[in-house]
């Protein structure tokens, strides 16, 4: 976590420069993007388990700094509100509730977040509206926060919309051949772009499915739960078969051993697999896959506490080579996913 909050872009290489003149620092901690939302989520999971006051203080300080400044609403900037919803449950501050209400209402409103055909959440980001596009990142970045806020504010229609979004995204992104997920779907061209089985995009699914099942307390026999578990099991079967034997990591294109090994996705896979086993959603035999991935993550944490072998934020690629060419650099979500994986592994100590 010390490394997470002190990461800096010393060259400007990874700054996001917008047409309106704003500069979004997706690498440093003093910004508002999905990278920070996932960072907050990882720390929150650690706080839940350990009660660590330093980690809780980092979370509080981020919201104290960023909420007054505000930002543009998009799929990715909703991400921090998952952690804020958990914070609000512990400490119901009126100013926090106002933000939660505003952002969830924007996701739901007909004149808020644009919807695709079949009512999917269009994957709008800072620098592109991506009309008619579904991305696998969306379930983690916006749909989980919507579900949590719906429970918190007693808005059953929000919860139902979150359930629907899982089904819509499965319909268009699930690869029936492998059980993995394509990075995106374009309603305009009716295609899955490069049909990339991109690792980090897939890891959001491995994380999001156990999270939504636990969050909604879905009972055994519930049809939605069964469908999600079957979807997760299909993905994890392929993950078990494609995990690198020597390192415990996965390639950035899961089915392409010529693409580089990538640690942030591996951490996400480890977290999701181990949590799913702990919740009884996956057979216990998969625990070995998750623990091997955890060891692979540990092997890539250097003396400064930095998770190495992490790929930079990845837009939608039009070729498989695009994914192979993404630069490697330390990022908040790499740190966060490592924290998630290690905290989940501690359940077994």
């Amino acid at each position: 976590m010390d490394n997470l909050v002190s990461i800096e872009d010393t060259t400007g290489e990874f700054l996001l420069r917008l047409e309106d003149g704003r500069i979004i620092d997706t690498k440093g901690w003093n910004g508002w993007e999905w990278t920070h939302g996932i960072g907050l989520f990882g720390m929150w999971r650690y706080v839940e388990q350990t009660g660590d006051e330093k980690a809780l203080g980092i979370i509080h300080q981020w919201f104290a700094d960023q909420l007054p400044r505000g930002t543009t609403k998009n799929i990715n900037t909703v991400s921090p509100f998952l952690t804020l919803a958990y914070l609000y449950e512990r400490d119901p501050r009126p100013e926090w509730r106002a933000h939660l209400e505003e952002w969830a209402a924007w996701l739901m409103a007909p004149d808020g977040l644009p919807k695709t055909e079949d009512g999917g959440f269009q994957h709008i980001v800072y620098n592109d509206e991506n009309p008619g596009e579904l991305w696998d990142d969306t379930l983690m970045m916006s749909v989980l926060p919507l579900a949590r806020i719906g429970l918190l504010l007693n808005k059953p229609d929000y919860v139902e919309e979150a359930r629907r979004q899982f089904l819509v995204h499965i319909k268009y992104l699930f690869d029936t051949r492998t059980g993995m997920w394509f990075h995106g779907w374009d309603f305009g061209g009716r295609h899955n772009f490069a049909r990339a089985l991109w690792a980090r995009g897939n890891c959001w699914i491995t994380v999001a499915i156990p999270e939504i099942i636990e969050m909604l307390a879905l009972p055994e026999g519930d049809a939605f739960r069964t469908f999600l578990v079957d979807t997760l099991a299909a993905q994890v079967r392929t993950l078990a078969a494609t995990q690198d034997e020597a390192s415990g990591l996965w390639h950035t294109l899961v089915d392409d051993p010529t693409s580089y090994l990538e640690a942030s996705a591996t951490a996400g896979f480890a977290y999701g697999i181990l949590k799913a086993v702990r919740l009884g959603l996956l057979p216990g035999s998969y625990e070995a896959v998750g623990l091997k991935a955890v060891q692979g993550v540990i092997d890539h944490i250097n003396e400064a506490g930095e998770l190495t072998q992490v790929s930079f934020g990845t837009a939608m690629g039009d070729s498989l080579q695009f994914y192979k060419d993404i630069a490697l650099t330390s990022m908040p979500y790499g740190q966060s996913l490592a924290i998630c994986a290690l905290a989940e592994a501690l359940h077994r100590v």
Side-chain angles (χ1 to χ4, degrees):
M1 280 180 275
D2 287 336
N3 187 287
L4 169 60
V5 300
S6 61
I7 294 173
E8 294 183 359
D9 183 355
T10 57
T11 66
E13 178 184 0
F14 300 103
L15 296 176
L16 178 60
R17 303 177 189 276
L18 304 181
E19 291 182 357
D20 61 9
R22 285 181 297 162
I23 298 176
I24 308 299
D25 185 357
T26 62
K27 187 177 175 71
W29 188 240
N30 185 28
W32 187 329
E33 177 61 307
W34 68 272
T35 54
H36 309 95
I38 299 302
L40 293 163
F41 174 77
M43 281 187 275
W44 177 256
R45 282 290 178 245
Y46 183 71
V47 168
E48 281 185 321
Q49 191 166 338
T50 66
D52 188 277
E53 289 296 327
K54 182 177 180 181
L56 184 59
I58 294 171
I59 295 170
H60 275 279
Q61 191 60 55
W62 190 90
F63 284 109
D65 291 341
Q66 302 303 326
L67 286 176
R69 299 173 185 171
T71 191
T72 304
K73 291 183 176 69
N74 62 52
I75 285 290
N76 289 335
T77 54
V78 177
S79 177
F81 290 97
L82 178 57
T83 300
L84 189 64
Y86 284 118
L87 267 184
Y88 180 83
E89 287 181 285
R90 175 181 289 197
D91 183 6
R93 301 184 186 183
E95 64 271 24
W96 287 350
R97 184 184 181 98
H99 287 291
L100 294 167
E101 290 176 336
E102 176 188 342
W103 283 68
W106 174 77
L107 285 172
M108 294 289 293
D111 59 349
L113 172 71
K115 311 303 189 293
T116 70
E117 186 179 319
D118 281 9
F121 281 4
Q122 182 173 310
H123 195 88
I124 291 178
V125 295
Y126 272 118
N127 57 346
D128 201 334
E129 292 193 358
N130 298 315
E133 294 183 18
L134 298 176
W135 293 24
D136 55 9
D137 320 43
T138 298
L139 295 180
M140 185 73 199
M141 305 312 165
S142 283
V143 177
L144 284 182
L146 178 64
R148 193 72 209 174
I149 295 169
L151 293 173
L152 185 66
L153 302 182
N154 192 27
K155 296 274 192 178
D157 55 325
Y158 289 13
V159 176
E160 285 304 304
E161 183 60 37
R163 290 161 61 106
R164 177 180 179 227
Q165 289 303 320
F166 268 82
L167 296 175
V168 170
H169 282 73
I170 291 170
K171 179 178 179 179
Y172 289 100
L173 300 180
F174 182 77
D175 176 24
T176 56
R177 181 180 59 87
T178 64
M180 303 296 291
W181 286 48
F182 299 120
H183 188 182
W185 168 262
D186 177 21
F187 280 103
R190 317 299 294 190
H191 59 73
N192 290 111
F193 296 94
R195 297 179 64 84
L197 304 183
W198 174 50
R200 193 166 59 244
N202 268 273
C203 95
W204 301 131
I205 306 309
T206 322
V207 172
I209 289 179
E211 288 294 324
I212 194 71
I213 290 173
E214 180 183 54
M215 185 186 295
L216 301 184
L218 299 174
E220 289 190 36
D222 176 89
F224 181 57
R225 170 189 162 125
T226 301
F227 186 71
L228 291 178
V229 169
D230 289 347
T231 301
L232 178 65
Q235 185 200 48
V236 173
R237 277 195 296 270
T238 293
L239 289 176
T242 53
Q243 186 177 30
D244 183 65
E245 182 65 29
S247 67
L249 273 59
W250 279 271
H251 294 272
T252 199
L253 292 172
V254 171
D255 59 341
D256 183 354
T258 69
S259 63
Y260 58 74
L261 295 166
E262 207 279 331
S264 71
T266 297
F269 289 142
Y271 173 76
I273 291 170
L274 290 176
K275 181 163 187 170
V277 170
R278 178 168 59 84
L279 296 179
L281 307 177
L282 291 175
S285 58
Y286 284 121
E287 183 174 78
V289 176
L291 292 176
K292 184 173 182 176
V294 168
Q295 186 59 55
V297 170
I298 292 171
D299 291 343
H300 284 80
I301 298 174
N302 63 24
E303 292 182 359
E306 173 194 349
L307 181 66
T308 61
Q309 203 63 25
V310 171
S311 65
F312 184 58
T314 305
M316 188 62 60
D318 57 5
S319 71
L320 297 180
Q321 189 62 43
F322 170 86
Y323 295 89
K324 296 182 181 183
D325 293 340
I326 296 295
L328 293 166
T329 181
S330 60
M331 290 297 292
Y333 51 79
Q335 302 299 109
S336 170
L337 287 168
I339 292 166
C340 287
L342 295 172
E344 182 60 37
L346 286 175
H347 281 290
R348 287 145 182 85
V349 174

